Amino acid sequence: MNIKNMFTALVFGLITLFSNHSQGATTDSPYQGAQIIVTLFECFLIALPTSALFLIVWSRWKHLRFKQLLQIVLNSSLVFMLISLVTVNQLTQNISSWLIALAVSHTLLVGISYLLVKQHTNRVKSTLTGCW
């Protein structure tokens, strides 16, 4: 099963898990539409730190340019995660502690990745200046 199919299955599974469908209901309330949006943003809030962790571990064996591009993607994902967190907070008027824990862990992952990229950059610079 490839990554796209796994991500699609995860999204549909989380939507099914968090949706509150009642048996025999024939009308959709406005609250149900907002609940689907909240569930979608919560899926993003779960997927971003998980995929960031896998990418950071995988990037250990990659070259410096890949790590720099990954850092740009991680920075933008951090901004997207904070926007999603604020959106969930506005739509539900409360926020759970596990969402806050995920946001903190993602922030720490981005910070650790930044330090690793900076360390690799300094190592490459010192190697290049040592050759001259």
Side-chain angles (χ1 to χ4, degrees):
M1 181 180 263
N2 62 17
I3 300 295
K4 183 179 178 183
N5 290 343
M6 289 174 41
F7 181 71
T8 305
L10 175 71
V11 168
F12 284 134
L14 289 174
I15 288 172
T16 305
L17 181 68
F18 289 120
S19 64
N20 295 326
H21 294 295
S22 62
Q23 298 288 331
T26 57
T27 60
D28 285 339
S29 66
Y31 177 73
Q32 239 178 356
Q35 184 65 29
I36 290 173
I37 293 171
V38 168
T39 305
L40 183 65
F41 277 114
E42 286 177 346
C43 289
F44 284 130
L45 292 173
I46 293 170
L48 285 174
T50 307
S51 59
L53 177 65
F54 290 133
L55 283 172
I56 289 171
V57 170
W58 185 60
S59 73
R60 175 160 170 73
W61 297 279
K62 294 296 179 182
H63 52 83
L64 179 61
R65 184 68 185 144
F66 177 82
K67 289 180 182 181
Q68 290 170 338
L69 291 173
L70 177 63
Q71 188 63 42
I72 293 169
V73 171
L74 288 176
N75 291 343
S76 60
S77 73
L78 181 63
V79 170
F80 182 70
M81 181 160 194
L82 294 176
I83 290 170
S84 299
L85 197 63
V86 169
T87 304
V88 168
N89 187 26
Q90 292 295 323
L91 290 174
T92 61
Q93 298 301 323
N94 63 359
I95 197 160
S96 64
S97 59
W98 67 272
L99 288 179
I100 294 173
L102 285 173
V104 168
S105 67
H106 190 64
T107 305
L108 289 174
L109 280 173
V110 172
I112 289 170
S113 175
Y114 173 76
L115 292 176
L116 291 174
V117 169
K118 188 171 185 172
Q119 179 186 15
H120 191 167
T121 305
N122 289 340
R123 198 173 335 127
V124 167
K125 283 181 184 176
S126 67
T127 302
L128 289 176
T129 54
C131 293
W132 296 100

